[in-house]
Amino acid sequence: AVLIENKFEITDEMRTVSEQLFIPELDLFSNCRKRMHILRVMRDFPVTLFGKCDVLRDQFPRLTVHPPVTYRELAGPLSRSKVALNIMPEYYRGSHERMFDAMLSGAALVTNVSSFLGEDYRDGESVRYYQSAVADDLPEIINSLLSNDHYRQTLTRSAAAISRPLRAVLIAV
């Protein structure tokens, strides 16, 4: 690791080693653990989840679990959503194209912050950020978006305006 301005930079050699150490499996475990915590916090809300973690169905009666879908198949559910809840890995400084697609589909994005997102998307103006370690603020954030159509639509319009050029760059790369 290289220390730059108090941040670690991962080298290509480290990536190769980490892939050999089953980092993808640890990432899957970490994401399932985070989903479990988020679902506990959101237990009073109906939640639809696309992805692995089928074992969660029995523990959360208001949860609907769908198997993982392809990128193209995700467009339908996103276009019917008022709110898209995203869970970013804690160590991640980037984004995921599903977040841009959610915002461009008209869903209000609720996510934990990454340094990349924080550069362009402001909390309460274009996205809503929750405190990922605790996530106790999620019910209030979700309620505010679902109970105020005007606010949610203003947020999604702002997010779409920011996302269009960024998404175009991602497609071009």
Side-chain angles (χ1 to χ4, degrees):
V2 179
L3 186 61
I4 299 176
E5 296 180 23
N6 296 324
K7 295 180 181 178
F8 285 99
E9 181 177 304
I10 297 176
T11 65
D12 287 337
E13 181 181 354
M14 291 173 66
R15 270 191 199 86
T16 302
V17 170
S18 71
E19 288 169 4
Q20 293 170 355
L21 295 174
F22 306 104
I23 296 301
E25 285 80 3
L26 292 174
D27 185 48
L28 179 62
F29 171 77
S30 174
N31 284 342
C32 282
R33 208 170 125 228
K34 288 177 195 169
R35 285 178 178 172
M36 187 76 114
H37 177 70
I38 296 293
L39 289 170
R40 282 189 196 107
V41 171
M42 299 294 296
R43 68 184 158 273
D44 295 330
F45 290 82
V47 174
T48 301
L49 185 141
F50 287 84
K52 297 181 181 177
C53 295
D54 292 336
V55 297
L56 300 177
R57 283 188 185 139
D58 297 334
Q59 299 175 43
F60 301 98
R62 300 201 72 190
L63 173 67
T64 303
V65 178
H66 296 280
V69 295
T70 66
Y71 177 71
R72 288 179 188 227
E73 293 170 327
L74 187 59
L78 283 176
S79 68
R80 294 185 299 273
S81 300
K82 290 183 178 181
V83 175
L85 177 58
N86 182 65
I87 303 170
M88 293 289 293
E90 295 302 320
Y91 57 85
Y92 202 60
R93 291 185 290 174
S95 65
H96 193 284
E97 57 196 6
R98 72 175 164 255
M99 296 179 344
F100 297 107
D101 292 343
M103 292 183 282
L104 290 169
S105 294
L109 179 66
V110 178
T111 186
N112 48 333
V113 71
S114 77
S115 58
F116 176 80
L117 292 175
E119 291 175 13
D120 294 304
Y121 298 91
R122 303 285 177 247
D123 187 36
E125 295 176 16
S126 50
V127 299
R128 290 302 319 265
Y129 293 117
Y130 64 89
Q131 302 300 316
S132 64
V134 181
D136 289 342
D137 53 345
L138 265 176
E140 181 182 331
I141 290 170
I142 301 292
N143 271 328
S144 71
L145 293 167
L146 293 176
S147 65
N148 187 334
D149 289 339
H150 177 73
Y151 171 59
R152 187 181 68 254
Q153 291 165 359
T154 300
L155 195 83
T156 58
R157 278 193 298 275
S158 176
I162 297 167
S163 298
R164 268 186 212 95
L166 291 173
R167 186 68 175 105
V169 169
L170 288 175
I171 291 171
V173 171

